[in-house]
Amino acid sequence: MVRAGGCRYVLRVNRPGYRDLAVFRSELEWLDAITRDTDLVVPVPVADREGNLVTVASTPGVPEPRICALFRWVNGRFCGQHDLTVRHLERVGLLMGRLHCHAEGFVPPPGFTRIRWDAGGLLGGVYGGKIADAKAVLEPARRAAVDRAESITRGAMEQLGEAPSVFGLIHGDLHQMNYVFLRGEARALDFDDCGWGYYLGDMGATLGPLVSREDFAELRAAFLHGYRVVRPLDAGHERMLTSFLIADRLKIAVWMSGRRDNPGLRDGVAGFVRDRVDQIEAMMQWIH
């Protein structure tokens, strides 16, 4: 966080090779469009002195140039995963519904490019891991559960297709550490993972971390109620949501499996992946 002129800002400095210039610029273009077109509170990108939303900066002592962007600070408070109430989830559902409404009408400018959260992106390494990496740390029974989860994920996506009503720009990572609340309003943070994906997949990223809560059914119902205030969701698609909850847990397991080169995470990879696969196995019982 930085302060200037009595205002607070966030400066993002990308690590080398993380996102290319066009991909990063496209994220900011969508945020800029949301700010122009709606009253949703999101991180507003701030142009540099040349009017560019993205700046490539160099400094002595740092070997590579860094892609940077400045955002206005979003006021609000976080609510921990175990402190979220049905009222909070209703507000988050309303927020996501409004984001999806905007995405449906958004016309990408020339050169707009973002990652794809389709089956290939979800399971094939967009996050840095691969599904084979996740299976490598598991015993045979859990590997079989991963295979079934992959089949469920791919089957659901094939069934939906990519019509604009079900597939478009999504936040991609709207879990409880990426939204805050102010005076009852939910506000989205961190659009770094935004991209082309399934609207049900976006819901999976929000609800997936909550599946182990005893009151998950109530939280899910409240989220969907808030969503439907602004955007329809037919019963058939709602029934497919469990498949995308499974997809989210699988995505996170794949992501963590690719972190074995990180000394701070290496020792916890196998336990983390097993826990997510256990959640997947529990959710498979919900599918009839």
Side-chain angles (χ1 to χ4, degrees):
M1 183 185 71
V2 295
R3 291 180 181 270
C7 298
R8 293 193 293 177
Y9 300 87
V10 173
L11 177 64
R12 188 198 298 177
V13 181
N14 277 7
R15 67 180 181 270
Y18 176 60
R19 293 272 192 261
D20 69 31
L21 197 60
V23 171
F24 192 23
R25 182 184 294 113
S26 297
E27 173 195 344
L28 307 186
E29 288 172 339
W30 188 34
L31 282 168
D32 191 50
I34 292 170
T35 302
R36 290 195 316 268
D37 300 340
T38 77
D39 60 356
L40 288 168
V41 179
V42 297
V44 180
V46 180
D48 63 19
R49 291 173 180 171
E50 284 73 42
N52 301 312
L53 296 177
V54 180
T55 302
V56 180
S58 301
T59 189
V62 178
E64 312 94 343
R66 301 297 175 92
I67 300 174
C68 309
L70 190 67
F71 300 88
R72 295 189 183 276
W73 182 264
V74 175
N75 288 318
R77 68 174 183 86
F78 291 100
C79 191
Q81 178 176 323
H82 299 290
D83 299 320
L84 289 164
T85 67
V86 292
R87 183 62 171 164
H88 289 124
L89 265 293
E90 182 179 1
R91 293 296 183 174
V92 177
L94 178 65
L95 166 63
M96 183 171 285
R98 295 190 64 196
L99 285 172
H100 291 175
C101 285
H102 182 270
E104 273 195 277
F106 176 65
V107 179
F112 188 93
T113 179
R114 287 299 297 175
I115 54 181
R116 284 179 60 87
W117 291 117
D118 54 11
L122 197 73
L123 307 175
V126 165
Y127 259 141
K130 296 183 182 299
I131 200 163
D133 299 326
K135 292 170 68 173
V137 302
L138 298 170
E139 65 277 17
R142 286 192 173 99
R143 290 177 195 166
V146 169
D147 288 338
R148 185 179 173 205
E150 180 180 6
S151 177
I152 289 169
T153 296
R154 293 185 183 278
M157 292 180 177
E158 289 173 7
Q159 182 178 341
L160 278 177
E162 294 188 2
S165 60
V166 298
F167 188 94
L169 269 181
I170 60 173
H171 181 283
D173 199 28
L174 198 64
H175 56 72
Q176 70 279 354
M177 295 308 296
N178 281 337
Y179 52 75
V180 294
F181 297 94
L182 186 67
R183 293 187 291 273
E185 176 189 49
R187 299 171 163 195
L189 308 175
D190 191 2
F191 282 68
D192 185 46
D193 283 338
C194 73
W196 302 104
Y198 292 90
Y199 295 129
L200 285 174
D202 218 12
M203 296 178 189
T206 297
L207 294 173
L210 306 176
V211 295
S212 295
R213 282 190 41 165
E214 292 184 359
D215 60 348
F216 176 72
E218 290 80 9
L219 296 173
R220 177 183 180 277
F223 174 87
L224 293 177
H225 175 75
Y227 187 89
R228 284 187 166 113
V229 168
V230 292
R231 190 171 188 271
L233 177 68
D234 69 42
H237 288 167
E238 181 180 345
R239 285 192 292 272
M240 297 180 69
L241 180 54
T242 297
S243 297
F244 285 89
L245 294 171
I246 290 170
D248 174 74
R249 299 292 83 192
L250 187 57
K251 173 188 75 176
I252 297 301
V254 168
W255 168 80
M256 189 62 168
S257 69
R259 307 279 79 76
R260 283 181 290 179
D261 59 347
N262 185 321
L265 298 175
R266 183 183 301 134
D267 293 342
V269 168
F272 184 98
V273 173
R274 281 195 297 268
D275 287 348
R276 272 53 190 180
V277 175
D278 287 347
Q279 290 178 331
I280 286 170
E281 288 189 286
M283 286 189 288
M284 286 176 179
Q285 306 304 313
W286 304 349
I287 298 178
H288 301 289

